[in-house]
Amino acid sequence: MKFYSIAIDGPAGAGKSTLSKLLAKELGFMYVDTGAIYRTVGYYINLMGIGSKDTDGVRRLIDEVNIDIYIDENNVQRMVLNGQDVTDEIRTPEMSKYASDVSAMAFVRSFLLDMQRDLAKKNNVIMDGRDIGTVVLPEADLKIFLTASAEERARRRFEEYAAKGEKTTFEQVLADINQRDFNDSNRKAAPLKKAADAIEVDTTGETLEQSEKRIIELVREKLAI
Ligand code: DC
């Protein structure tokens, strides 16, 4: 049986997860948020008292990381780390930084590669991340590179944090986004980059509904489904 895969890559806050979730629901595909996998690794490293840039420390601990992913009854991707559900704990600014730092380590990326590919072998997937179209699923049926201006992405992230009661400022979120864009795009291992055959979709100034409509049209046209 042929399984379809759609790769959605792009910088932090471009709307990848929101749009991927909507799209997955519309198409009946499984949504896989790969950033959550890096966040879970970062969470464990932090829990064990290791700094996010301590490559030797991360290397020592990486084999202790056991991740299970499942979709709950509310269609939420639950992340289970060594038997403990950490889905909510990984969504903090500190874990964003940890995820970005550990994701720059090539051995962390190869440790997680098969897990991601296995999901696409067994399901119709919409997978979002930074290197899905370039490294994880180079044969994806459709690749979208989703972007928006840094200010707009920071505003969206800031509103997300504010809704959760997370204490931060817009300026801080913007600085973090710029730093993360730089780290994710300039690392040696699988940097954030538009695949040659990806279609770029810039959502700056669009409402969610407008972006959703545009992307669904694109998918229906390219996949003929
Ligand atoms: O999408 P996110 O903000 O949850 O991702 C957290 C970090 O994980 C991001 O800064 C870079 C890294 N990441 C990655 O390197 N490759 C992916 N496929 C997904 C995320």
Side-chain angles (χ1 to χ4, degrees):
M1 175 175 178
K2 151 95 182 149
F3 287 112
Y4 288 102
S5 54
I6 300 175
I8 305 207
D9 290 302
K16 297 186 299 293
S17 71
T18 310
L19 285 164
S20 299
K21 265 183 222 156
L22 289 168
L23 204 56
K25 196 161 172 223
E26 167 86 15
L27 301 172
F29 282 22
M30 178 184 185
Y31 164 55
V32 182
D33 168 2
T34 63
I37 306 177
Y38 289 94
R39 285 170 182 271
T40 301
V41 173
Y43 179 84
Y44 184 69
I45 298 307
N46 178 258
L47 189 69
M48 300 314 276
I50 302 290
S52 64
K53 289 191 187 257
D54 180 351
T55 308
D56 289 339
V58 178
R59 200 192 305 274
R60 230 178 20 250
L61 292 182
I62 191 73
D63 286 332
E64 296 175 9
V65 176
N66 262 301
I67 298 177
D68 287 311
I69 303 179
Y70 73 97
I71 310 294
D72 74 10
E73 61 284 2
N74 298 318
N75 230 3
V76 174
Q77 173 180 308
R78 310 295 310 184
M79 300 304 299
V80 180
L81 165 67
N82 298 337
Q84 186 202 344
D85 190 312
V86 296
T87 310
D88 298 325
E89 287 81 349
I90 61 174
R91 298 281 155 205
T92 64
E94 194 184 10
M95 288 310 119
S96 298
K97 160 120 188 57
Y98 259 79
S100 184
D101 286 344
V102 300
S103 74
M105 300 173 193
F107 62 91
V108 170
R109 305 199 72 83
S110 53
F111 178 77
L112 300 175
L113 194 56
D114 285 346
M115 178 190 305
Q116 298 169 77
R117 286 188 176 154
D118 278 351
L119 289 165
K121 271 191 205 130
K122 297 176 192 146
N123 304 278
N124 290 316
V125 291
I126 295 180
M127 199 174 275
D128 90 17
R130 304 294 188 286
D131 63 335
I132 309 305
T134 51
V135 176
V136 179
L137 304 176
E139 307 296 329
D141 298 285
L142 173 64
K143 301 178 186 177
I144 294 175
F145 193 79
L146 203 64
T147 59
S149 71
E151 285 70 22
E152 175 131 352
R153 291 185 284 116
R155 188 182 50 71
R156 294 173 188 168
R157 265 297 139 90
F158 175 66
E159 283 167 7
E160 246 173 66
Y161 287 141
K164 283 193 298 184
E166 195 83 50
K167 284 202 176 39
T168 183
T169 61
F170 171 78
E171 287 69 26
Q172 184 59 51
V173 175
L174 179 60
D176 287 352
I177 288 247
N178 280 326
Q179 182 66 52
R180 217 136 67 85
D181 283 358
F182 182 84
N183 290 351
D184 295 348
S185 309
N186 289 284
R187 68 183 180 215
K188 279 209 194 78
L192 166 65
K193 172 168 104 205
K194 177 174 171 289
D197 51 351
I199 298 169
E200 183 160 342
V201 174
D202 186 335
T203 66
T204 309
E206 279 186 355
T207 63
L208 186 58
E209 290 70 28
Q210 287 168 329
S211 306
E212 183 190 4
K213 185 164 176 286
R214 199 142 77 96
I215 291 179
I216 287 177
E217 277 169 14
L218 198 62
V219 170
R220 297 233 180 261
E221 180 197 324
K222 297 288 174 192
L223 265 55
I225 51 175

